[in-house]
Amino acid sequence: NLIGITNGLLGGFFWGISNANRKFYVDKMNNWLVIVYQMFFGALISLCLAFLSGELLKNNWQVFPLFLLVIYAIGMVFIQTLLFIGFKNFNLNLGSIVLASQLVFILIIGIIILKEIPTFTELIGAIAISMAIVFSKLDTTKYIRKLISS
């Protein structure tokens, strides 16, 4: 489904912009003000994407998914706050990859709690994120030198 892939790519793009902004403004502006801006624009962009993809117009609103959405939103605000406080001491590239692991956990929660069967694209994405986390922790220069010397 192209809409899902497009939304995923846009989400990754905006996530990168968010991390870069957080790193840039960490000592230049009031931390709480930057968090409010990020959350506001994140919600605005999410609503626009939901409207453009037709998800916002569906009349199948249910209490349990809305409850999970509120919990997720509170968690995102909490994570953004923790990130902003600690980001000045953290590698931006590695942090982005590790934070992307939340998508893998959401997939697992969807399987366990909501009994959702992931699509092929979702599984490939989860595997790619997991591999990126593993590869980011490897000392590749050591392996490359070993390959060159042999």
Side-chain angles (χ1 to χ4, degrees), residues 42-59:
L44 188 65
I45 290 168
S46 297
L47 282 173
C48 289
L49 289 175
F51 181 76
L52 291 173
S53 66
E55 290 296 319
L56 194 63
L57 302 176
K58 294 181 180 175
N59 289 328

PDB file of all heavy atoms in Angstrom, residues 42-59:
ATOM      1  N   GLY A  42       3.878  18.536  15.420  1.00  0.00           N
ATOM      2  CA  GLY A  42       3.738  17.094  15.198  1.00  0.00           C
ATOM      3  C   GLY A  42       2.273  16.687  15.119  1.00  0.00           C
ATOM      4  O   GLY A  42       1.868  15.916  14.242  1.00  0.00           O
ATOM      5  N   ALA A  43       1.461  17.218  16.034  1.00  0.00           N
ATOM      6  CA  ALA A  43       0.026  16.923  16.012  1.00  0.00           C
ATOM      7  C   ALA A  43      -0.629  17.498  14.763  1.00  0.00           C
ATOM      8  O   ALA A  43      -1.474  16.841  14.135  1.00  0.00           O
ATOM      9  CB  ALA A  43      -0.643  17.480  17.267  1.00  0.00           C
ATOM     10  N   LEU A  44      -0.235  18.697  14.376  1.00  0.00           N
ATOM     11  CA  LEU A  44      -0.798  19.332  13.178  1.00  0.00           C
ATOM     12  C   LEU A  44      -0.457  18.535  11.921  1.00  0.00           C
ATOM     13  O   LEU A  44      -1.338  18.268  11.083  1.00  0.00           O
ATOM     14  CB  LEU A  44      -0.276  20.768  13.067  1.00  0.00           C
ATOM     15  CG  LEU A  44      -0.896  21.638  11.988  1.00  0.00           C
ATOM     16  CD1 LEU A  44      -2.367  21.887  12.282  1.00  0.00           C
ATOM     17  CD2 LEU A  44      -0.157  22.968  11.930  1.00  0.00           C
ATOM     18  N   ILE A  45       0.780  18.120  11.785  1.00  0.00           N
ATOM     19  CA  ILE A  45       1.190  17.328  10.623  1.00  0.00           C
ATOM     20  C   ILE A  45       0.487  15.976  10.633  1.00  0.00           C
ATOM     21  O   ILE A  45       0.034  15.490   9.588  1.00  0.00           O
ATOM     22  CB  ILE A  45       2.725  17.174  10.600  1.00  0.00           C
ATOM     23  CG1 ILE A  45       3.386  18.514  10.268  1.00  0.00           C
ATOM     24  CG2 ILE A  45       3.163  16.115   9.591  1.00  0.00           C
ATOM     25  CD1 ILE A  45       4.876  18.554  10.501  1.00  0.00           C
ATOM     26  N   SER A  46       0.365  15.353  11.806  1.00  0.00           N
ATOM     27  CA  SER A  46      -0.343  14.067  11.902  1.00  0.00           C
ATOM     28  C   SER A  46      -1.798  14.196  11.479  1.00  0.00           C
ATOM     29  O   SER A  46      -2.335  13.332  10.780  1.00  0.00           O
ATOM     30  CB  SER A  46      -0.266  13.523  13.332  1.00  0.00           C
ATOM     31  OG  SER A  46       1.049  13.253  13.687  1.00  0.00           O
ATOM     32  N   LEU A  47      -2.458  15.265  11.923  1.00  0.00           N
ATOM     33  CA  LEU A  47      -3.853  15.484  11.523  1.00  0.00           C
ATOM     34  C   LEU A  47      -3.971  15.698  10.021  1.00  0.00           C
ATOM     35  O   LEU A  47      -4.896  15.169   9.383  1.00  0.00           O
ATOM     36  CB  LEU A  47      -4.441  16.676  12.271  1.00  0.00           C
ATOM     37  CG  LEU A  47      -4.857  16.421  13.709  1.00  0.00           C
ATOM     38  CD1 LEU A  47      -5.253  17.725  14.389  1.00  0.00           C
ATOM     39  CD2 LEU A  47      -5.985  15.424  13.767  1.00  0.00           C
ATOM     40  N   CYS A  48      -3.041  16.451   9.446  1.00  0.00           N
ATOM     41  CA  CYS A  48      -3.062  16.668   7.985  1.00  0.00           C
ATOM     42  C   CYS A  48      -2.876  15.351   7.236  1.00  0.00           C
ATOM     43  O   CYS A  48      -3.593  15.072   6.264  1.00  0.00           O
ATOM     44  CB  CYS A  48      -1.976  17.659   7.579  1.00  0.00           C
ATOM     45  SG  CYS A  48      -2.300  19.349   8.084  1.00  0.00           S
ATOM     46  N   LEU A  49      -1.913  14.529   7.692  1.00  0.00           N
ATOM     47  CA  LEU A  49      -1.687  13.237   7.039  1.00  0.00           C
ATOM     48  C   LEU A  49      -2.898  12.314   7.194  1.00  0.00           C
ATOM     49  O   LEU A  49      -3.268  11.603   6.255  1.00  0.00           O
ATOM     50  CB  LEU A  49      -0.431  12.568   7.596  1.00  0.00           C
ATOM     51  CG  LEU A  49       0.899  13.192   7.204  1.00  0.00           C
ATOM     52  CD1 LEU A  49       2.052  12.505   7.930  1.00  0.00           C
ATOM     53  CD2 LEU A  49       1.106  13.114   5.698  1.00  0.00           C
ATOM     54  N   ALA A  50      -3.515  12.334   8.375  1.00  0.00           N
ATOM     55  CA  ALA A  50      -4.707  11.508   8.591  1.00  0.00           C
ATOM     56  C   ALA A  50      -5.854  11.970   7.698  1.00  0.00           C
ATOM     57  O   ALA A  50      -6.603  11.158   7.154  1.00  0.00           O
ATOM     58  CB  ALA A  50      -5.117  11.554  10.061  1.00  0.00           C
ATOM     59  N   PHE A  51      -5.984  13.276   7.520  1.00  0.00           N
ATOM     60  CA  PHE A  51      -7.032  13.811   6.655  1.00  0.00           C
ATOM     61  C   PHE A  51      -6.763  13.459   5.198  1.00  0.00           C
ATOM     62  O   PHE A  51      -7.653  13.007   4.477  1.00  0.00           O
ATOM     63  CB  PHE A  51      -7.136  15.328   6.826  1.00  0.00           C
ATOM     64  CG  PHE A  51      -8.203  15.951   5.983  1.00  0.00           C
ATOM     65  CD1 PHE A  51      -9.540  15.827   6.341  1.00  0.00           C
ATOM     66  CD2 PHE A  51      -7.878  16.648   4.838  1.00  0.00           C
ATOM     67  CE1 PHE A  51     -10.533  16.393   5.561  1.00  0.00           C
ATOM     68  CE2 PHE A  51      -8.858  17.221   4.045  1.00  0.00           C
ATOM     69  CZ  PHE A  51     -10.193  17.092   4.409  1.00  0.00           C
ATOM     70  N   LEU A  52      -5.505  13.646   4.749  1.00  0.00           N
ATOM     71  CA  LEU A  52      -5.159  13.354   3.356  1.00  0.00           C
ATOM     72  C   LEU A  52      -5.266  11.871   3.016  1.00  0.00           C
ATOM     73  O   LEU A  52      -5.610  11.511   1.897  1.00  0.00           O
ATOM     74  CB  LEU A  52      -3.743  13.855   3.043  1.00  0.00           C
ATOM     75  CG  LEU A  52      -3.567  15.368   3.016  1.00  0.00           C
ATOM     76  CD1 LEU A  52      -2.095  15.727   2.864  1.00  0.00           C
ATOM     77  CD2 LEU A  52      -4.392  15.987   1.898  1.00  0.00           C
ATOM     78  N   SER A  53      -4.984  11.008   3.980  1.00  0.00           N
ATOM     79  CA  SER A  53      -5.073   9.568   3.724  1.00  0.00           C
ATOM     80  C   SER A  53      -6.489   9.036   3.905  1.00  0.00           C
ATOM     81  O   SER A  53      -6.746   7.865   3.645  1.00  0.00           O
ATOM     82  CB  SER A  53      -4.109   8.808   4.638  1.00  0.00           C
ATOM     83  OG  SER A  53      -4.508   8.931   5.985  1.00  0.00           O
ATOM     84  N   GLY A  54      -7.414   9.874   4.368  1.00  0.00           N
ATOM     85  CA  GLY A  54      -8.807   9.459   4.521  1.00  0.00           C
ATOM     86  C   GLY A  54      -9.122   8.798   5.842  1.00  0.00           C
ATOM     87  O   GLY A  54     -10.256   8.410   6.092  1.00  0.00           O
ATOM     88  N   GLU A  55      -8.129   8.659   6.719  1.00  0.00           N
ATOM     89  CA  GLU A  55      -8.354   7.998   8.007  1.00  0.00           C
ATOM     90  C   GLU A  55      -9.189   8.845   8.954  1.00  0.00           C
ATOM     91  O   GLU A  55      -9.921   8.325   9.774  1.00  0.00           O
ATOM     92  CB  GLU A  55      -7.015   7.654   8.670  1.00  0.00           C
ATOM     93  CG  GLU A  55      -6.252   6.566   7.973  1.00  0.00           C
ATOM     94  CD  GLU A  55      -6.974   5.241   7.993  1.00  0.00           C
ATOM     95  OE1 GLU A  55      -7.565   4.888   9.029  1.00  0.00           O
ATOM     96  OE2 GLU A  55      -6.957   4.565   6.955  1.00  0.00           O
ATOM     97  N   LEU A  56      -9.081  10.153   8.845  1.00  0.00           N
ATOM     98  CA  LEU A  56      -9.796  11.047   9.751  1.00  0.00           C
ATOM     99  C   LEU A  56     -11.292  11.078   9.447  1.00  0.00           C
ATOM    100  O   LEU A  56     -12.106  11.346  10.323  1.00  0.00           O
ATOM    101  CB  LEU A  56      -9.202  12.458   9.655  1.00  0.00           C
ATOM    102  CG  LEU A  56      -9.583  13.436  10.748  1.00  0.00           C
ATOM    103  CD1 LEU A  56      -9.081  12.931  12.098  1.00  0.00           C
ATOM    104  CD2 LEU A  56      -8.987  14.791  10.471  1.00  0.00           C
ATOM    105  N   LEU A  57     -11.659  10.775   8.212  1.00  0.00           N
ATOM    106  CA  LEU A  57     -13.056  10.888   7.792  1.00  0.00           C
ATOM    107  C   LEU A  57     -13.886   9.647   8.104  1.00  0.00           C
ATOM    108  O   LEU A  57     -15.107   9.683   7.989  1.00  0.00           O
ATOM    109  CB  LEU A  57     -13.110  11.181   6.288  1.00  0.00           C
ATOM    110  CG  LEU A  57     -12.364  12.453   5.859  1.00  0.00           C
ATOM    111  CD1 LEU A  57     -12.401  12.584   4.353  1.00  0.00           C
ATOM    112  CD2 LEU A  57     -12.958  13.668   6.515  1.00  0.00           C
ATOM    113  N   LYS A  58     -13.258   8.545   8.468  1.00  0.00           N
ATOM    114  CA  LYS A  58     -13.988   7.316   8.754  1.00  0.00           C
ATOM    115  C   LYS A  58     -14.774   7.462  10.044  1.00  0.00           C
ATOM    116  O   LYS A  58     -14.319   8.065  11.008  1.00  0.00           O
ATOM    117  CB  LYS A  58     -13.034   6.125   8.839  1.00  0.00           C
ATOM    118  CG  LYS A  58     -12.379   5.821   7.513  1.00  0.00           C
ATOM    119  CD  LYS A  58     -11.480   4.628   7.626  1.00  0.00           C
ATOM    120  CE  LYS A  58     -10.831   4.352   6.275  1.00  0.00           C
ATOM    121  NZ  LYS A  58      -9.866   3.278   6.341  1.00  0.00           N
ATOM    122  N   ASN A  59     -15.965   6.897  10.064  1.00  0.00           N
ATOM    123  CA  ASN A  59     -16.844   7.018  11.228  1.00  0.00           C
ATOM    124  C   ASN A  59     -16.791   5.782  12.116  1.00  0.00           C
ATOM    125  O   ASN A  59     -17.800   5.314  12.601  1.00  0.00           O
ATOM    126  CB  ASN A  59     -18.290   7.257  10.779  1.00  0.00           C
ATOM    127  CG  ASN A  59     -18.472   8.633  10.202  1.00  0.00           C
ATOM    128  OD1 ASN A  59     -17.812   9.566  10.625  1.00  0.00           O
ATOM    129  ND2 ASN A  59     -19.350   8.762   9.229  1.00  0.00           N
TER     130      ASN A  59
END
